[in-house]
Amino acid sequence: MAVDTQYGEAIWLDGVFHDPKEANTSVMSHAIHYGSGFFEGIRAYATPDGPAIFQLTEHIERLFRSCAFYHVTIPYTVEELVQATIDLVAKNGFESCYIRPFVFLGTPWQALMAKDTTVHVGISCWELGEYFDKGAGIRAKVASYRRVSSTMMPMQAKAAANYMNSQLLKGEALRDGFDEAIALDMNGNVSEASVANLFMLKNGTIYTPSLDCSVLDGITRQVIMRLAQDQGYPVVERHIGRDELYVADEIFLTGTAAEITSVGEIDHIVINGGTRAVADELLGLYRQAVSGQLPQYAAWLTYVTPAIAE
């Protein structure tokens, strides 16, 4: 079997391991024409006991919820996709990697509302380093585009179509010389970054936008809230005004790819001299937890078994 240098030895697609170069679909797939796809982003981390997948079951369960919003039925159980993910990471031999389970509508179809169209399920994985540089706080801007309202689309779904909005946000930020965009919701409240949740520290309390601000209830978001509370920080979900960001004590982003990333500057305004002590504290705890060093959080990890037979 030829090995893809990026995606390893195999991709799991519809119950079968494929050479990554051969895991293809028709150009007439419904997902290509109408964006009918759903996905998750998961990380596996190196630990003394081998690779461990972080919050695996929680991510797969959310994939099912995302599909349910659009009345798409996944032809596997949560347990089957959990095991397929473990088997794929083992087969590819990665000690740490990014994992992408995905669901999409294929063929046949003749209209916007698919009928009798095949539901495909795939899982891929690849080695991934830092999504954002952790050496210095990143530079962000408040985007001109707003975050799509949950009155328009279910923003609690990780649906592929939602991420066209994210592409507009991120693209604007990069073209303007920033690292990331921060979106406001349709009411002008702070929502989230292009692919990460946002937290703000002020006077010892950690704040994060409430879910009614078109915020995805991120799994890493939930984990960081738990870690912060366990360290004694009050954590409050509420509406946050744009102007509050500029006078915060710290701003940081969270997500599977971002992990915990400090924001040092927003709209050319340096946030509290670039202070990042709490973000660094939580990042340190997070990395201890995902590498199996904190027994109290052991339930967050699913260890990968030895590679399955050919």
Side-chain angles (χ1 to χ4, degrees):
M1 177 182 290
V3 177
D4 187 290
T5 57
Q6 181 174 3
Y7 299 112
E9 180 181 333
I11 285 177
W12 187 94
L13 180 63
D14 296 332
V16 178
F17 288 109
H18 296 266
D19 182 316
K21 294 184 177 65
E22 298 172 358
N24 302 317
T25 190
S26 169
V27 296
M28 294 307 296
S29 292
H30 191 275
I32 293 175
H33 294 263
Y34 291 116
S36 47
F38 314 89
F39 68 93
E40 280 295 320
I42 313 173
R43 276 194 192 249
Y45 288 90
T47 81
D49 298 312
I53 304 172
F54 183 61
Q55 295 284 76
L56 173 57
T57 299
E58 290 78 4
H59 279 98
I60 298 299
E61 288 175 343
R62 188 173 63 181
L63 180 64
F64 276 73
R65 293 195 298 273
S66 295
C67 290
F69 278 112
Y70 288 86
H71 307 280
V72 171
T73 300
I74 297 177
Y76 297 93
T77 65
V78 169
E79 293 74 20
E80 287 172 330
L81 294 188
V82 164
Q83 189 59 54
T85 304
I86 294 169
D87 292 344
L88 178 68
V89 175
K91 189 174 183 66
N92 280 316
F94 294 136
E95 286 299 310
S96 62
C97 61
Y98 183 86
I99 305 163
R100 173 54 56 89
F102 54 95
V103 177
F104 66 96
L105 299 186
T107 57
W109 67 270
Q110 295 294 327
L112 174 65
M113 296 305 297
K115 182 179 180 182
D116 301 322
T117 300
T118 303
V119 178
H120 295 282
V121 184
I123 311 169
S124 59
C125 60
W126 60 92
E127 293 179 307
L128 177 70
E130 298 283 10
Y131 184 76
F132 287 119
D133 182 6
K134 299 297 192 297
I138 64 169
R139 301 176 64 250
K141 67 164 291 184
V142 175
S144 62
Y145 288 102
R146 296 292 177 97
R147 175 82 167 153
V148 173
S149 169
S150 293
T151 64
M152 302 172 185
M153 300 173 69
M155 299 309 289
Q156 289 305 317
K158 281 187 72 72
N162 294 358
Y163 285 79
M164 293 301 291
N165 183 219
S166 297
Q167 289 179 52
L168 288 172
L169 300 170
K170 183 78 170 186
E172 178 185 284
L174 294 178
R175 287 189 297 273
D176 289 347
F178 295 88
D179 303 306
E180 181 57 293
I182 295 171
L184 306 180
D185 70 8
M186 295 305 293
N187 296 312
N189 300 306
V190 174
S191 181
E192 59 180 47
S194 66
V195 288
N197 292 121
L198 181 143
F199 286 82
M200 176 182 78
L201 176 73
K202 186 68 176 180
N203 297 328
T205 297
I206 295 175
Y207 300 94
T208 192
S210 49
L211 298 183
D212 62 345
C213 297
S214 296
V215 171
L216 177 70
D217 190 11
I219 290 172
T220 307
R221 174 182 184 268
Q222 297 170 12
V223 164
I224 295 309
M225 292 170 70
R226 165 76 184 279
L227 286 175
Q229 289 166 338
D230 287 353
Q231 296 306 302
Y233 293 101
V235 179
V236 177
E237 298 177 75
R238 67 164 173 83
H239 292 180
I240 296 174
R242 173 179 180 170
D243 55 349
E244 293 186 78
L245 299 179
Y246 304 129
V247 294
D249 295 332
E250 288 189 41
I251 302 288
F252 56 91
L253 308 179
T254 68
T256 294
E259 298 179 305
I260 298 91
T261 297
S262 176
V263 179
E265 179 184 318
I266 300 176
D267 293 339
H268 302 290
I269 298 173
V270 176
I271 307 302
N272 194 27
T275 302
R276 49 183 292 170
V278 173
D280 285 348
E281 176 188 0
L282 293 174
L283 176 61
L285 288 167
Y286 177 85
R287 288 193 163 167
Q288 289 179 65
V290 299
S291 59
Q293 299 176 55
L294 299 178
Q296 66 268 39
Y297 304 120
W300 291 348
L301 302 178
T302 299
Y303 286 87
V304 175
T305 55
I308 63 175
E310 293 287 344

